[in-house]
């Protein structure tokens, strides 16, 4: 299970509103205890999907992933997942999301 505080949910909502009508995306940093993940920091990221596709897809570049991994080391947390919005759609993983998700991360 993933635990995320209301203040982080509010930040993600602000990012989603700012990116609308496109998808926003970002990193979830935190710690893992037993099978529980605790979000302790978030970091918005540029949606690098090709123009015209950002309304229903998000891409995080390898360069942004590397920056986030370095940041995680700096703040002594792990990348435990990613967030992204679904503008004008249900807040459930799409088939694309499910087939492209890395199994160790939360989305």
């Amino acid at each position: 299970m993933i635990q995320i505080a209301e203040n982080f949910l509010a930040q993600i909502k602000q990012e989603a509103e700012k990116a609308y009508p496109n998808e926003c995306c970002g990193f979830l940093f935190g710690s893992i205890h037993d099978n529980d993940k605790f979000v302790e920091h978030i970091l918005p990221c540029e949606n690098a999907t090709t123009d015209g596709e950002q309304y229903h897809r998000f891409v995080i570049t390898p360069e942004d992933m590397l920056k986030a991994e370095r940041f995680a080391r700096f703040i002594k947390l792990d990348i435990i997942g990613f967030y992204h919005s679904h503008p004008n759609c249900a807040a459930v993983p799409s088939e694309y999301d499910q087939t492209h998700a890395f199994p160790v991360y939360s989305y």
Side-chain angles (χ1 to χ4, degrees):
M1 174 178 264
I2 188 164
Q3 306 280 335
I4 184 165
E6 288 295 323
N7 61 312
F8 295 127
L9 291 174
Q11 284 180 289
I12 293 168
K13 183 179 177 185
Q14 286 177 342
E15 289 298 318
E17 289 172 351
K18 191 167 65 173
Y20 186 82
N22 295 323
E23 287 194 7
C24 72
C25 58
F27 298 91
L28 303 172
F29 299 92
S31 54
I32 302 170
H33 304 283
D34 298 319
N35 288 329
D36 292 328
K37 295 180 179 181
F38 298 88
V39 175
E40 300 172 50
H41 192 83
I42 67 166
L43 181 66
C45 180
E46 178 91 20
N47 180 348
T49 299
T50 307
D51 287 341
E53 294 296 312
Q54 292 178 335
Y55 74 96
H56 71 129
R57 296 277 185 269
F58 79 98
V59 168
I60 294 175
T61 65
E63 294 82 11
D64 284 337
M65 187 68 185
L66 181 59
K67 288 177 189 175
E69 288 172 345
R70 289 178 176 155
F71 182 70
R73 265 185 272 155
F74 177 75
I75 62 173
K76 297 181 174 40
L77 295 172
D78 295 313
I79 297 173
I80 59 173
F82 307 92
Y83 69 84
H84 72 280
S85 59
H86 279 198
N88 303 319
C89 295
V92 295
S94 67
E95 184 178 328
Y96 183 89
D97 291 343
Q98 292 176 35
T99 60
H100 288 80
F102 293 113
V104 297
Y105 295 112
S106 293
Y107 290 80

